[in-house]
Amino acid sequence: MSALPFAFAYPAILGALIALPVIWWLLRLTPPRPKTEVFPPLKILASVLKREETPAQSPWWLTLLRMLLAAIIILAIADPVFNPRTNSLASSGPLVLFVDNSWAAAPDWERRIQTAVALVDDAESAGMPVSITFTADPTNDAVPGTAANARDKLRATEPRPLVPDRERAFQALRAALNGVKPGTLAFLTDGAAAKTDDATVRRLAELQPADLRLIEGDATKTVAVTAANNAADAMTVKVTRLDSSRPASVALNAVDAQGRSIANGRADFRPGQSVATSSITAPFEMRNDFARISVDSGATAGAVHLLDDAFKRRRVVLLSGTGADEFQPLLSPLYYIQRALQPYADLIQPTDSDLAVAIPKLLVSNPSIIIMADIGRLPEETYEPLTRWISNGGMLLRFAGPRMAAAPADDPLIPVILRQGERALGGTLSWSEPQSLAEFPSIGPFAGIPRPVDVVVKRQVLAEPTPDLAERTWASLADGTPLVTMKQLASGQIVLFHVTAEATWSDLPISGTFVDMLRHLLQISRSGGVTSETRGNARVSESLPPFRMLTAKGTLVSETGSARPLIPKAGVEPTANLDNPPGLYGSEDGFTSLNVLPDNAELKPLDATGINAVREGLIGGESWSAKPALFLAAFLLLLADSLIVLFMNGAFSRSRPAGRMATMIAIAVAAGFLAQPGTLHADDSRPGDDLILQRLDNTHLAYVVTGEQEVDNISERGLEGLTQFLTFRTTLEPAPPVGLDLTKDELSFYPIIYWPVSATAPMPSSAAISRIDAYMRNGGTVLFDTRDQISALDNGGNVSANGERLQAILANLDIPPLEPVPSDHVLTKSFYLLSSFPGRYAGSALWIEARQGGREPSEKSAATADGVSPILITGNDFAGAWAVDANGVPILPTVPSDEAQREYAYRAGVNIMMYMLTGNYKTDQVHVPDLLERLGQ
């Protein structure tokens, strides 16, 4: 290489420049002017005719133009070459070539080989040995040898899709030289630092070469994609570049597994900016089809970012045993799950509160995970489609709670057999202390997650001991009891957290560990739209064979070469190396991507500050001849000279001016709609609208129509009697009661539904049961009345026929644990002070939702509707005690006959209604003294 800016290939031609004065003289030379004689008869014509005169000599500026033309022709024939290459190798030692054959060297690899071969040819001419070292090869024979051997090595080497291992290559070079100082040491570098503290140039300078050269390519082509995140509405891509001196914009392309481009984006760099973040906007389903992201302008392995199943954004369905509480969101079972998964998954919640209707609709959307928070019983017709969905690869993730604790133990969609009830740790009557979490097993989806030291569990549901319980346990407490269990069901999994999804049973949902656990479960779930079996927990520790390998030019090939299987390690992000080059590891059923650069890496220039090294470019680009440009300039000057001469000779003065074009184009757009669509108006005359408005404007007491005339009449007259009592004794003025058909009527209009249980009435359909279950889940309350003084709800006592029918109905409802109304419950003081709740009979207790976790009476539960129980059960025949005829006279006597009992029955009805409408209002009054004290009153 030469430091001269340019040279002439034929310098002898420049001798023709001495002929320029002669050319000047010839151009200025003109014939003598003729002598002019005036002929008198033609004097008149001289004033009429236009005289045409020929100048005696050419103008000076035209002569200068022709001189310049001659000089340019002479220079073009001499062939000036900019940045010419000359043989200037140092002869004090061998030629040493230190060559980067990394991914960044792939775009101009042929020019690098040409540059290296040219240096080898110069060394051969000078009789010097040549040493070659490649920084991305596993081994190097760097002992100086013949030039022919060096040329063979250069032509046989290909760039590799790896970051150069310059330290390994330098050690091999130093050992091969064995103290011999190089003459010329040429470092053909890709220009990028291989690591943060890359001191390769400084290490090469320690070899004390007589001439150290840094030969670089075009740094603007070195661009890499280092991260891709499938966000909620778009995919964010991080791109880094090596040359940040100028603004730049690179096009991004998202490609599917078949190589088809399905989305595009663009990353813009400002001057001085080496990392840019862009986004590729596409629908959820299209983004899940992305197989790789690439930079259009860079055909390198670094410009391609491979994606795998873990990248695909999952669709997650959220179901809860209770409705959302907008006023107390922190107590909602789904609140912490939503906050943990929202950045990483598309969350779907049902639009229909009836699970029998909602679950089939949600399964059509092909979710990856269905999460159920404290759902004890599912509608019978949903088990079969859910089981089929899990078998096809879905994951059912369930969280415990009071409803699950009270559910039957033979639920097929629970991974283990549960004991009835829940285990309280650290309660008033318990000797045990709240338990912390044990270390997560090394084999399982939670491997690598550090054990949280500040998380304790106060309540849990317990699993019955079975021989395979340890194999199904993914996480456990410090005392060994399971915290998370799993059951494999064909290609899918059923996972159970033995605590609630909110913070009433444990601190886990409000910890960062909860987010990590859900993210790990999200990663092992099947990706949306994929029907084959994906990786589960058994594959976390197994080796993944090489499946598709990435070449240095950014293409995937099936030849795996010497690549070894990839062995994932817990908590360690795999990096590309000589044993595991970039590509896909696994099989068609599931694979892991391994990219050239680590996530969020940044390209930085190679540090050569303080080193006396000459920077040069590759041949074939920097060296270029000016001959074509000079000949083109000469042709343009000759053309200009010809036009000037023609103009001066009057060739253009006799030409007729071009005609003026006067064409007018008329575009008439007379397109209009022949018929405009009419404006749509709501049909206010639809049947049922007036009735719906009437139901919304007034509070109605409602009862279930059983189909038995006598029972329904008593229910109607009983609620009518209670309505009249409420009107007389309270400010509430309900409208007439309403009879409901559970299969057709809207239930959400009514705060409470009275259900007289009758064994002789038709059994409600599964659709009716599902609708009443949805009504209770969303804050409604059902008052079941067996009308037979039932005193026990279990199978241990004597159960009447109506009681058996009630058990059959409750078997299909997801209800919480029940208990008789405690003496300090808000029901006993919501309007009247009561110690019991009699009806026509007085022997049955009133059953409500049991308090959980040993809460004090002043503490609110996590239930919806401000702590109102979704279910009330009695056998005292409330409607029979309330029933009156048209004159207001009671229809049925109390048992025993006692008008005071009827009065208390009415008062019980008033308390129940106030409880329905005000919730824990009375309970909240315990805080009034503190509030008044705070206000200074």
Side-chain angles (χ1 to χ4, degrees), residues 148-200:
N149 188 22
R151 278 191 290 267
D152 292 339
K153 287 183 179 180
L154 287 172
R155 295 189 176 96
T157 302
E158 295 290 337
R160 293 175 175 267
L162 296 170
V163 175
D165 190 351
R166 292 170 180 152
E167 182 61 29
R168 180 203 295 259
F170 175 77
Q171 296 298 336
L173 174 63
R174 185 169 62 177
L177 293 177
N178 195 21
V180 177
K181 297 181 180 180
T184 296
L185 196 160
F187 181 13
L188 278 77
T189 175
D190 59 16
K195 53 185 180 179
T196 304
D197 53 347
D198 194 338
T200 304

Side-chain angles (χ1 to χ4, degrees), residues 555-575:
T555 58
L556 281 173
V557 296
S558 57
E559 292 81 7
T560 59
S562 60
R564 297 182 179 180
L566 179 67
I567 303 177
K569 297 180 180 179
V572 179
E573 193 71 24
T575 56

